[in-house]
Amino acid sequence: MKRTLTRDDIIPLSDFLKIRDQKRLEITALKRNRRLSVGPDIVFYFENYQTIWWQIHEMLRIEQGGDSQIDDELNAYASLVPKVHPDQSQDLVATMMIEIDDMVRRRRVLAQLGGIEETVSLRFGDTSINATPETEVDRTTADGKTSAVHFLHFILRPDEIRSFLTPNVDVILAIDHPNYSHKSLLPEGTRQSLGCDFDLHHQ
C-alpha cells in the first residue's frame, strides 16, 4: 500500500481518460466496504491511496485546470493517504460528510453541530481512539456552525492495530455531539478492508 501521493503519481488527463471507465469500476468496488453511515445524516468514507488518487484525477478532469491545478489538488487531498508515523503508529483516514438534501434543513442542522469533528471516536475492545481533525481549515465557525465536510485521522499504536485486526472484533464508530449522538458497528467486510490500510511490517 503506497503511503505518499506526489506529482509523480499524477498521469496526463489523456491517459486517465483511457482507463477511467475501468478505474471507476475498481474504485466503486473498493468503496463498497469503506462507506459507513452513522445516524441519519452523516456518512464516513474511509480513504486510502487509491481513493485519493481517483479523487485528484477526477477533480483535474472536471475542472480542466491543467498542470497549474495539480499542486492545489495535492495540497487539498494528499494528506488523506494513511501514513506510518515515526513512532510506528499508523492512521485510518476518513472523510466525514453531513449529507442532507433539503437545503433549509441542512442549514439548520449545520448550525447546531459546531465542533462535531471533535466528538468522533473509533472503539474496539478496551480501546477508544479519538479522531484528530485536519486543522489546515477551521471547519467550525465562531458562531457554532460546522462544515458539511470534515477530514479525520484515527491514529493507532501498534498494539491497537493488532487488536483492530483480530478477526471478528467489534469495531464501533461513534459520534457523541450533544445534538447528534449516534454510533454504528463496522461490518466485518469494512473492518477487513480498513485493515488493509495498515503496514504490517511495522507491527
Side-chain angles (χ1 to χ4, degrees):
M1 177 68 67
K2 289 198 67 173
R3 297 290 174 174
T4 58
L5 201 156
T6 68
R7 265 185 167 263
D8 292 339
D9 297 295
I10 307 303
I11 64 176
L13 180 58
S14 58
D15 292 342
F16 175 66
L17 293 176
K18 293 175 185 176
I19 64 172
R20 181 174 178 266
D21 287 346
Q22 179 59 38
K23 282 291 183 183
R24 179 171 54 188
L25 292 175
E26 293 173 5
I27 292 296
T28 298
L30 174 67
K31 286 186 174 182
R32 194 167 293 125
N33 281 326
R34 302 180 69 88
R35 177 188 185 279
L36 185 69
S37 295
V38 179
D41 299 323
I42 295 182
V43 181
F44 289 79
Y45 299 88
F46 283 90
E47 311 290 2
N48 64 9
Y49 174 89
Q50 292 104 309
T51 66
I52 298 303
W53 184 94
W54 172 261
Q55 174 71 19
I56 289 175
H57 283 84
E58 279 291 278
M59 294 300 294
L60 293 170
R61 177 186 69 84
I62 293 166
E63 297 187 6
Q64 300 284 317
D67 186 75
S68 61
Q69 185 188 345
I70 293 176
D71 286 340
D72 289 341
E73 300 302 334
L74 287 170
N75 288 336
Y77 295 109
S79 64
L80 302 183
V81 178
K83 302 290 191 298
V84 177
H85 301 281
D87 65 356
Q88 305 306 310
S89 63
Q90 302 183 46
D91 55 356
L92 298 172
V93 184
T95 300
M96 180 178 75
M97 300 188 69
I98 302 170
E99 299 185 345
I100 302 172
D101 292 334
D102 180 81
M103 185 179 300
V104 174
R105 180 170 174 267
R106 180 171 67 247
R107 192 176 296 124
R108 183 175 69 250
V109 170
L110 293 178
Q112 298 172 346
L113 295 181
I116 192 170
E117 68 276 16
E118 305 286 348
T119 71
V120 181
S121 61
L122 198 61
R123 304 169 185 171
F124 49 94
D126 297 325
T127 299
S128 181
I129 308 292
N130 293 326
T132 302
E134 293 221 335
T135 57
E136 283 74 10
V137 177
D138 190 355
R139 296 186 179 271
T140 291
T141 63
D143 61 358
K145 179 181 178 181
T146 194
S147 168
V149 181
H150 298 268
F151 302 123
L152 306 176
H153 296 252
F154 300 90
I155 302 173
L156 282 70
R157 302 188 310 265
D159 61 311
E160 293 168 338
I161 294 171
R162 288 191 291 271
S163 177
F164 182 94
L165 294 174
T166 302
N168 298 308
V169 66
D170 284 345
V171 180
I172 303 294
L173 184 56
I175 302 172
D176 294 310
H177 191 277
N179 295 324
Y180 195 94
S181 181
H182 296 277
K183 59 184 178 181
S184 291
L185 174 69
L186 271 65
E188 180 62 12
T190 299
R191 187 194 64 80
Q192 290 182 10
S193 181
L194 300 188
C196 295
D197 294 352
F198 297 120
D199 184 347
L200 300 184
H201 291 100
H202 289 82
Q203 299 306 299

